Amino acid sequence: MISLNQVSKQFTTKEGTFQAVAPLSLHIAEGDIYGIVGFSGAGKSTLLRLINLLERPTTGTVEVAGQDLTKLAKKELRKARQSIGMVFQQFYLLHNKTVFDNIALPLQLARVERKEIERRVEECLQMVGLEEKRQHYPAQLSGGQKQRVGIARALAHQPKVLLCDEPTSALDPKTTKQFLQFLRDLHRQLGLTIVIVTHEMHVVQQICNKAAVMEEGKIIEHFSLENKRQQAKTDIGKMLFASPYLEEERLVSHV
Ligand code: ADP
């Protein structure tokens, strides 16, 4: 579903150039819940943003659903991006708009007809269980509810891929657990391919079927979380495999 081929990203600042992502290749299959894990500054968010070209790669190509996004003109890219939803740690909701209008926004920008917008927003509200909150403003919602609005907005264009950038980092442990359960259910229901960037090991342990460990812009280890006999080589990998979660609390069985 997603193929990154020798992608890299360099940022140029006043201090000089900085290689946030070194040339790397990564394949994510349809239906995967793929974790990208590592410490802060490893290049995880940049890598995620390369998948929908929020960051344009310095080198390499990015294929999503068989389409090379780096070759598309602006208008085609806008269209292709509709099949890639994205959610963020800080939700990025518009505070002066209701839940309904926040979810409707990407559809309005794409000039979808009013009746169709209403139909789709209602569908998304139902999917995330927030029908009762449609006229509320973000300030009236809990953190978990705000993240659900973020997901509903990401689903408005009925995407095939959902990119999640530290989706639980602003949530407390109980809400995180509920949220991951909810994401797992959505994944089943909609057949989504999900990529989650996180520095929280337990998020990967609970929900992902595969994961990559990043450090200094490189992927230093790949995992299949189902393969319990896999021997971790890196410190982060060892942490991932050394947890009771893997035995007791995994929410997902992809087998
Ligand atoms: P992570 O998500 O693993 O915390 P990031 O991808 O956010 O890491 O950042 C990787 C590195 O790239 C960091 O050192 C960060 O400061 C740098 N970086 C990210 N975005 C930019 C940018 N727009 N301009 C310059 N440097 C950036």
Side-chain angles (χ1 to χ4, degrees):
M1 174 57 93
I2 300 169
S3 282
L4 305 179
N5 310 300
Q6 290 299 307
V7 287
S8 69
K9 181 69 189 180
Q10 268 184 7
F11 291 110
T12 305
T13 61
K14 274 180 273 167
E15 285 87 49
T17 54
F18 178 77
Q19 184 98 15
V21 175
L24 61 82
S25 297
L26 178 66
H27 181 72
I28 297 174
E30 189 170 355
D32 273 349
I33 303 186
Y34 201 102
I36 300 173
V37 66
F39 297 121
S40 189
K44 306 181 298 296
S45 283
T46 307
L47 184 64
L48 192 74
R49 292 158 66 85
L50 285 168
I51 297 176
N52 59 1
L53 251 59
L54 274 184
E55 299 288 357
R56 202 160 256 284
T58 310
T59 65
T61 60
V62 177
E63 274 176 50
V64 179
Q67 208 172 21
D68 181 353
L69 302 187
T70 57
K71 301 274 187 302
L72 300 181
K74 251 190 188 159
K75 198 171 156 197
E76 294 169 317
L77 179 59
R78 221 179 297 135
K79 184 94 193 130
R81 274 208 187 114
Q82 292 178 1
S83 64
I84 313 172
M86 189 159 184
V87 294
F88 306 88
Q89 175 181 359
Q90 297 302 340
F91 323 125
Y92 291 133
L93 302 179
L94 296 176
H95 294 283
N96 58 348
K97 287 198 181 287
T98 61
V99 165
F100 185 100
D101 288 338
N102 266 284
I103 301 169
L105 194 67
L107 300 171
Q108 284 164 351
L109 292 173
R111 298 184 196 284
V112 174
E113 201 189 308
R114 182 74 210 165
K115 273 255 160 328
E116 177 66 6
I117 292 182
E118 277 171 20
R119 194 187 66 74
R120 278 210 235 162
V121 174
E122 285 303 330
E123 201 176 84
C124 290
L125 279 167
Q126 253 179 35
M127 264 192 283
V128 301
L130 288 177
E131 302 98 307
E132 308 297 314
K133 307 278 183 195
R134 59 167 72 72
Q135 291 312 324
H136 285 55
Y137 287 87
Q140 299 170 288
L141 305 177
S142 69
Q145 289 168 338
K146 284 182 203 168
Q147 194 53 292
R148 280 171 187 239
V149 177
I151 294 234
R153 182 184 53 192
L155 295 177
H157 276 299
Q158 301 164 314
K160 298 186 183 71
V161 173
L162 188 63
L163 306 179
C164 306
D165 195 353
E166 299 276 3
T168 56
S169 300
L171 306 179
D172 63 52
K174 186 165 166 246
T175 315
T176 293
K177 197 164 175 180
Q178 288 166 348
F179 177 78
L180 292 177
Q181 187 101 40
F182 160 74
L183 201 57
R184 189 271 317 260
D185 291 344
L186 264 188
H187 169 260
R188 264 206 201 130
Q189 201 182 323
L190 303 176
L192 290 168
T193 303
I194 300 179
V195 188
I196 301 183
V197 156
T198 183
H199 66 277
E200 298 174 295
M201 251 28 108
H202 68 96
V203 169
V204 175
Q205 288 160 349
Q206 286 181 72
I207 197 173
C208 297
N209 65 319
K210 292 185 195 141
V213 178
M214 269 194 99
E215 197 177 89
E216 294 180 354
K218 301 181 190 78
I219 290 179
I220 54 169
E221 197 157 26
H222 291 270
F223 288 107
S224 164
L225 274 287
E226 264 94 38
N227 182 1
K228 307 243 171 59
R229 279 171 303 190
Q230 192 170 346
Q231 291 288 316
K233 291 191 276 298
T234 62
D235 287 348
I236 296 177
K238 284 177 189 157
M239 279 191 254
L240 260 180
F241 272 80
S243 162
Y245 270 117
L246 278 185
E247 299 302 328
E248 292 159 17
E249 290 211 41
R250 272 179 65 72
L251 298 169
V252 178
S253 172
H254 289 266
V255 191

